[in-house]
Amino acid sequence: MVQFLQQLINGLSIGSVYALMAVGYSLVYSIMNFSNFAHGGVIMLGAYFGFFSLTLLKLPFVVAFLLASVGTLAVAIIVERIAYKPLRERKAPFLYFIISAMGASILLENIVIATIGPTFRTYPEVFSKVPITLGPLAIGRLDLIIFAISAVCLTLLIFFIEKTKIGKAIQAASYNVKACALMGVNTDRVILTVFGLGGFLAGVAGVFFGMKYTVYPQIGNITTKSFIAAVFGGLGSLPGAVLGSVILGTIETFVAGYLSSQFRDLIAFVILIAVLVLRPTGIMGKVTEDKA
C-alpha cells in the first residue's frame, strides 16, 4: 500500500505537468481544428527562460517563473502571427497549418541549438530536496509544489473561460468560429487570447519540467505525451485534457514502478492506439461534424 500511494503521488505530479501542456493543445484545437505542434518548441523555450533567469540574471524564483511564462506567452503569440495568421487570411487547408506548426517547432529548436548549444543544463536547487514525510510516505517538495501550482493555474484558466466575456467568446468560437464572426465577435482577438493562454501555461510547464529533469533543446518532444493525453481526454475539451493527463501520468508511473521503466513510453502509445480505435472522441470529447 505504501508503494502504491508513493507511485500515485508521483503520477499526479507528472500528470499535472502533462495537463498544463495538454490544455494548450485543446485550446487551439477547439478554435482552429488543428493540433499546434509548435507548442513543444514554446515549452522548450519556457524551460530555458526560467533557467537563465535564475542562473544569469540571478532573479528570485517567483520573478523568474513569471518572466518565463510571460516570455512564452509572447513567443506563442508571435508564432501565431507569423506561422498561422497568413494561412487563416488565405483560408488555407488545415493540412497547411499542421505543416507550418511542424516547421515552427523545428525552427525554434534549431535556433536554440545554433545560439545556445545542445548542452544539457540542470536547474539550480530552488527547493530543498529533503522530502516531506507523512508516516512511511516521502513526498518530494518539488512534486508537491508542481501539483499545487498546476492545480491553481488550471482552476484559474477554467474560471477565466467560464466567467469572463472573452472566455464566453472562446466557448462560442469553439462551436462555430464563422457564426461568431457573423455575430460581431472579434475572432482574431479570440485566437490571439487562446494562443496567449496556451503560451503562458507552456512556460509554467517548461519551468517545472526543467526543474524536475534537465533542460535541453529536444525537451519539447515530451509534448507527444501531452498530445496523447489530450486525445485520450478528448481534443477540444479542457476538462478532458486535464483528466486524460492525470490518468496518463498515473498509468505511466505505475507501469514504471511495477513493471519496468522501459515500458513507460510504450504504454502511452498503446493507450493512443486503443483510444483511436475504440473511442476516437476520447473520454469527454464531443461528436461533431468537424471536431472530435
Side-chain angles (χ1 to χ4, degrees), residues 13-291:
S13 175
I14 294 295
S16 62
V17 177
Y18 285 169
L20 292 171
M21 303 179 191
V23 161
Y25 277 115
S26 289
L27 279 170
V28 173
Y29 185 87
S30 66
I31 304 295
M32 300 182 66
N33 201 28
F34 86 100
S35 297
N36 178 26
F37 291 114
H39 197 55
V42 178
I43 290 170
M44 176 266 298
L45 289 177
Y48 275 102
F49 288 161
F51 174 79
F52 286 117
S53 295
L54 289 171
T55 56
L56 288 183
L57 301 181
K58 306 295 184 182
L59 296 175
F61 172 72
V62 175
V63 178
F65 180 79
L66 293 175
L67 183 63
S69 300
V70 172
T72 51
L73 182 153
V75 171
I77 290 176
I78 292 171
V79 169
E80 194 283 325
R81 296 287 95 171
I82 295 176
Y84 305 138
K85 185 178 180 180
L87 297 177
R88 286 195 289 110
E89 292 176 343
R90 295 201 302 269
K91 299 184 180 353
F94 288 113
L95 177 61
Y96 290 16
F97 286 86
I98 295 175
I99 294 172
S100 183
M102 295 173 68
S105 178
I106 295 171
L107 175 65
L108 292 175
E109 181 180 314
N110 281 275
I111 286 175
V112 170
I113 293 174
T115 56
I116 302 174
T119 308
F120 283 66
R121 291 174 167 84
T122 303
Y123 266 71
E125 184 176 330
V126 179
F127 304 107
S128 173
K129 293 183 179 180
V130 178
I132 299 173
T133 55
L134 296 175
L137 291 177
I139 305 173
R141 296 175 188 270
L142 180 59
D143 290 332
L144 190 61
I145 290 170
I146 288 175
F147 180 78
I149 295 180
S150 298
V152 170
C153 288
L154 293 171
T155 301
L156 291 175
L157 173 65
I158 293 174
F159 178 84
F160 178 84
I161 297 294
E162 294 290 337
K163 301 298 183 182
T164 64
K165 185 177 180 180
I166 187 66
K168 296 290 186 181
I170 292 173
Q171 291 183 62
S174 68
Y175 282 96
N176 194 312
V177 176
K178 293 181 181 178
C180 279
L182 293 174
M183 295 297 291
V185 175
N186 187 340
T187 54
D188 187 66
R189 182 186 172 196
V190 168
I191 291 172
L192 205 64
T193 303
V194 163
F195 273 88
L197 290 172
F200 185 89
L201 295 178
V204 176
V207 171
F208 283 153
F209 201 81
M211 292 177 66
K212 192 169 180 64
Y213 300 104
T214 55
V215 184
Y216 54 97
Q218 290 78 28
I219 195 175
N221 293 338
I222 192 63
T223 55
T224 303
K225 299 288 188 64
S226 60
F227 176 72
I228 292 173
V231 173
F232 185 24
L235 273 174
S237 170
L238 295 187
V242 175
L243 179 60
S245 299
V246 172
I247 293 175
L248 179 61
T250 304
I251 291 175
E252 280 190 347
T253 305
F254 277 116
V255 168
Y258 286 100
L259 295 178
S260 171
S261 59
Q262 295 178 349
F263 295 107
R264 181 170 187 160
D265 294 333
L266 177 63
I267 193 65
F269 291 99
V270 169
I271 290 174
L272 175 62
I273 294 171
V275 169
L276 292 176
V277 172
L278 301 176
R279 186 177 172 82
T281 58
I283 298 173
M284 302 181 70
K286 297 179 180 179
V287 180
T288 66
E289 182 179 352
D290 294 322
K291 298 185 181 71

